[in-house]
Amino acid sequence: MERKNIRIGTWNVQTLRSEQKVLNLVEDVDSKRIDIMAIQETHYHGTGSEYLKTSEGKTYVLYYTGDEESSGGAMEFKEEDDNHEMNQLPMKDKRTGKKPHSIPVPRLFKLCSKILCRYENKEGSLKNMVYSAKYPHRDSMMALLSKTVDQGSVIKSALADSKILEKEPGFNPYLAQVLTAELLTKGCLQGDCKPIIVLRKYEDELLEHYRKNAKKMPPKKKKVLFPRYVRINTLVASADDVHNHLAEEGWILYSYKKESVTYDDYLDLVENLEGSTYMEDYHIPELLVFPPNTSFWKSEPYKENAIVLMDKASCLPVFLASIKPGYNIIDGCAAPGNKTSYMAATINNTGSITALDNNPERFKTLNKLVQQRGATCVSTLLEDFTKLDPDQYPDVRCIFLDPTCTGSGVGFHQDKISEQRVWDLSSFQSMVLKHALSFPSVKKVIYSTCSVMVEENEEVVKKALDMYQHQFKLGNIKKRLPGWKNFGSEDYSFSKKICKTNPDVDKCQGFFVAKFVRKEKSSEEMPNSSAQKEGEKRKEQFNEISDTFSSKKKKSKKEQPSS
Ligand SMILES: C[S@@+](CC[C@H](N)C(=O)[O-])C[C@H]1O[C@@H](n2cnc3c(N)ncnc32)[C@H](O)[C@@H]1O
């Protein structure tokens, strides 16, 4: 076997920050036929490499690393390769007279590449990382990083195509992405630091790739970041008190006139909400909107229950019900009690709310929460709503039903929910809704789910209407939701009378609300004998539904609906 002798040298160069010194080094290494030269005290900062050529055109590659304290590197001979022509770096920057690597990378690019690296390692959201630190020009950073991430796939494929990261060993890949994003935005790169000079050599290739491929790339599905919604609990503090407290904590209310702003304009304002600015919701007066991820743990109004963290979607059933002080209400599926306590605040603790839940653990939370939030008009029952005898509640005016559902509107993946589970829930939801509609005095029944599946929403409503259309119709919810765009599925004749939220549009969780309203001629107005017949018919219907449900359950031995 042939043994090749490798010639190794070592040299303290004192500094390489002079063109002449670099030329001397490369010529010397070449004349002494040294294969690898260890070098001390280059005085270069950072880590990288560069290709150097001798006067005869032989190529060496210099690897270096260093900082204020120490610096060094190594140099090795490279076999001749046509590609090296393009890797040759100017030894000295013509404008500044400095070596390219002694010109620092602009801070904006450096910080953005660091944040991009953390973002790709899933350390947090861009917005959080940019705005939680005291960086100068945070908006410019956010703009450049958003572009880098939004165009991530085309930027990465352009860089891969150009082979820049292979041809330029040591080029920080995150910095390469950030600089490419800057190049795509501005059309050229300004600056004389080494990475910019290197990337500029690939400028045409990168721009050409972008032109050809930008449109072909499927648009990246934007992760919806919801604003933080906060409901003012008027049972504990007035709206003015809450606004004053928030002002003391440094919050600034962005005021807008609802009459002169469209829902679309409002959504734009919400999209751009940031820093310490908050605003009122467009539809629900007692609901405040804060930038995403705002933390309230240390806020006094939060600690005192004067504000409650509650997504807009979750407020809609109570808001759309138009309940009034003095109403007698049943909340059939109440725990943990967010809607119950909102109802109590809406009727200002006048009238009554019977809040039921059949899950003992959740029932405990319900009790705690209504007490903490000052909802004194609420009495709680650990009971199955479907077992409640309608005739025992002759004065109930409004029933809320927010039953257990798949949760497909709040991030549970639809494809992970079995068909069987969906149909089990759908039958259960139909049963509770029909039971609510059987209460003789009830004028309004509000049915809601945090699901986006028709089986749990439109189908349940359709079945209830099929059975109760002689007594109930769907109420007009549009009146209270000016500008709203999302209603039920077009496959159902009543689609425009039910409300759905679209997280991408409405900036809140996926939700569904239907409001059943008793038709004018209620059973109370009927002569006694007719009312009696109505009552009997109701009981028959109730028994029929319960039987169907329990026999179905036995037949399929399905999993119990749970929360
Ligand atoms: C979606 S959660 C209700 C959330 C509540 N409305 C709120 O806003 O805080 C559904 C609740 O219904 C309860 N539930 C399920 N089946 C029930 C039944 N047959 N009777 C009473 N409560 C039931 C569950 O235990 C669960 O707590």
Side-chain angles (χ1 to χ4, degrees):
M1 197 171 84
E2 192 191 332
R3 255 182 89 166
K4 186 177 184 299
N5 287 331
I6 297 175
R7 291 169 68 85
I8 299 177
T10 177
W11 192 354
N12 185 334
V13 289
Q14 306 286 309
T15 182
L16 277 182
R17 284 192 182 174
S18 124
E19 186 182 2
Q20 198 51 53
K21 277 230 165 189
V22 178
L23 285 176
N24 289 349
L25 171 72
V26 71
E27 294 296 340
D28 236 62
V29 168
D30 189 50
S31 67
K32 295 189 169 77
R33 289 180 293 113
I34 289 172
D35 297 296
I36 296 171
M37 173 71 93
I39 301 160
Q40 295 88 52
E41 293 197 39
T42 58
H43 295 178
Y44 286 176
H45 290 175
T47 300
S49 64
E50 68 180 279
Y51 287 88
L52 306 170
K53 283 199 181 251
T54 64
S55 51
E56 286 172 10
K58 286 190 195 163
T59 306
Y60 284 81
V61 63
L62 168 69
Y63 303 97
Y64 60 88
T65 187
D67 53 29
E68 293 296 338
E69 305 275 299
S70 59
S71 57
M75 211 167 139
E76 68 167 338
F77 176 66
K78 276 269 161 198
E79 292 297 334
E80 203 52 52
D81 175 345
D82 283 347
N83 281 339
H84 291 154
E85 198 56 46
M86 61 195 311
N87 291 330
Q88 208 178 353
L89 287 171
M91 299 307 293
K92 198 165 139 186
D93 181 74
K94 287 182 185 66
R95 208 164 52 79
T96 59
K98 288 181 178 175
K99 271 198 66 62
H101 33 257
S102 65
I103 300 171
V105 174
R107 194 140 182 245
L108 172 72
F109 301 140
K110 222 169 169 170
L111 292 175
C112 282
S113 74
K114 277 188 183 161
I115 289 182
L116 182 65
C117 169
R118 290 174 57 203
Y119 175 78
E120 295 207 343
N121 287 328
K122 303 203 173 0
E123 283 179 37
S125 73
L126 284 183
K127 210 166 184 178
N128 245 355
M129 288 190 276
V130 171
Y131 288 101
S132 61
K134 281 185 184 152
Y135 295 129
H137 316 300
R138 291 186 293 184
D139 292 340
S140 314
M141 281 174 71
M142 194 60 209
L144 180 56
L145 279 164
S146 304
K147 172 96 182 174
T148 315
V149 170
D150 288 350
Q151 303 287 321
S153 35
V154 73
I155 289 176
K156 283 177 190 164
S157 75
L159 289 170
D161 238 33
S162 71
K163 297 200 168 41
I164 179 171
L165 297 175
E166 290 162 38
K167 291 183 201 164
E168 310 288 348
F171 202 137
N172 178 330
Y174 303 105
L175 183 58
Q177 287 182 60
V178 169
L179 291 178
T180 309
E182 173 80 354
L183 172 69
L184 301 181
T185 313
K186 305 247 168 89
C188 65
L189 276 177
Q190 302 287 346
D192 302 308
C193 65
K194 186 177 163 189
I196 288 185
I197 292 170
V198 173
L199 204 108
R200 227 184 256 137
K201 291 188 290 169
Y202 299 82
E203 201 173 273
D204 292 343
E205 268 177 79
L206 294 171
L207 285 170
E208 185 56 22
H209 180 100
Y210 182 70
R211 257 176 239 121
K212 281 193 191 145
N213 294 283
K215 283 189 200 104
K216 281 190 226 153
M217 293 277 175
K220 203 178 156 221
K221 188 143 174 40
K222 262 195 169 177
K223 194 173 167 244
V224 188
L225 209 56
F226 299 128
R228 172 72 89 184
Y229 291 98
V230 160
R231 177 174 69 76
I232 299 174
N233 182 10
T234 48
L235 294 176
V236 170
S238 70
D240 282 349
D241 283 347
V242 168
H243 286 297
N244 289 339
H245 259 292
L246 290 169
E248 278 168 26
E249 289 180 4
W251 288 100
I252 300 156
L253 175 66
Y254 178 87
S255 309
Y256 63 96
K257 280 202 175 127
K258 286 188 189 161
E259 316 79 71
S260 38
V261 167
T262 65
Y263 183 44
D264 282 332
D265 295 339
Y266 158 82
L267 289 170
D268 278 346
L269 292 172
V270 173
E271 178 90 46
N272 292 306
L273 202 59
E274 58 180 29
S276 23
T277 311
Y278 74 105
M279 55 200 277
E280 282 173 359
D281 180 66
Y282 191 67
H283 300 110
I284 306 176
E286 53 275 30
L287 194 65
L288 308 177
V289 193
F290 288 81
N293 301 323
T294 303
S295 159
F296 284 96
W297 301 109
K298 290 186 190 145
S299 164
E300 277 311 308
Y302 175 76
K303 285 195 240 168
E304 288 162 11
N305 286 292
I307 57 171
V308 169
L309 306 185
M310 195 165 166
D311 191 82
K312 177 171 183 174
S314 200
C315 293
L316 284 173
V318 181
F319 174 69
L320 292 174
S322 304
I323 47 174
K324 304 272 176 331
Y327 266 36
N328 294 324
I329 297 168
I330 293 178
D331 186 359
C333 300
N338 281 315
K339 292 181 194 68
T340 320
S341 53
Y342 183 21
M343 289 167 211
T346 309
I347 62 170
N348 199 19
N349 270 338
T350 62
S352 72
I353 301 174
T354 307
L356 286 89
D357 206 283
N358 66 348
N359 177 317
E361 275 311 304
R362 292 173 69 92
F363 182 73
K364 278 188 213 157
T365 316
L366 170 69
N367 282 313
K368 199 169 100 188
L369 209 136
V370 292
Q371 193 262 329
Q372 281 175 347
R373 294 184 184 170
T376 52
C377 67
V378 178
S379 45
T380 57
L381 285 177
L382 175 61
E383 211 168 297
D384 180 340
F385 171 71
T386 62
K387 302 281 177 332
L388 218 57
D389 181 355
D391 292 325
Q392 297 299 310
Y393 294 85
D395 300 325
V396 66
R397 207 175 159 127
C398 185
I399 299 180
F400 284 86
L401 288 172
D402 186 31
T404 307
C405 68
T406 54
S408 56
V410 289
F412 291 99
H413 286 289
Q414 286 185 40
D415 48 7
K416 292 199 180 123
I417 305 165
S418 75
E419 224 172 279
Q420 187 62 67
R421 167 97 175 136
V422 175
W423 284 113
D424 280 354
L425 283 169
S426 182
S427 322
F428 156 75
Q429 290 151 348
S430 272
M431 187 180 67
V432 275
L433 176 56
K434 285 172 184 171
H435 184 54
L437 293 170
S438 77
F439 279 63
S441 63
V442 74
K443 299 280 187 289
K444 298 176 194 173
V445 173
I446 318 298
Y447 173 75
S448 59
T449 70
C450 55
S451 166
V452 288
M453 299 170 103
V454 284
E455 294 88 338
E456 297 181 90
N457 299 329
E458 287 89 337
E459 266 307 302
V460 173
V461 169
K462 183 181 174 300
K463 283 180 192 150
L465 280 177
D466 285 349
M467 188 175 254
Y468 279 97
Q469 58 190 339
H470 60 296
Q471 287 178 325
F472 287 92
K473 61 180 182 179
L474 288 172
N476 183 358
I477 40 154
K478 272 192 185 172
K479 262 197 298 191
R480 299 213 82 187
L481 291 177
W484 201 259
K485 298 174 188 38
N486 299 299
F487 300 96
S489 152
E490 297 286 334
D491 297 341
Y492 296 80
S493 58
F494 51 80
S495 67
K496 286 282 172 288
K497 292 193 171 156
I498 50 185
C499 162
K500 268 187 169 173
T501 54
N502 179 343
D504 288 325
V505 176
D506 302 305
K507 319 248 174 277
C508 59
Q509 289 173 336
F511 217 79
F512 174 91
V513 188
K515 174 173 160 183
F516 292 80
V517 182
R518 190 177 286 278
K519 286 181 176 171
E520 293 278 283
K521 204 171 173 235
S522 66
S523 57
E524 290 102 317
E525 292 159 14
M526 290 182 188
N528 267 353
S529 57
S530 317
Q532 226 168 352
K533 275 186 198 156
E534 256 318 291
E536 278 157 22
K537 199 168 149 199
R538 245 186 359 254
K539 271 201 174 137
E540 272 170 33
Q541 283 170 343
F542 174 50
N543 292 339
E544 207 178 291
I545 305 159
S546 307
D547 288 351
T548 323
F549 184 67
S550 42
S551 68
K552 256 191 184 173
K553 253 166 102 178
K554 269 182 218 151
K555 219 163 89 191
S556 57
K557 286 194 193 120
K558 295 159 197 162
E559 40 183 327
Q560 271 281 338
S562 65
S563 328

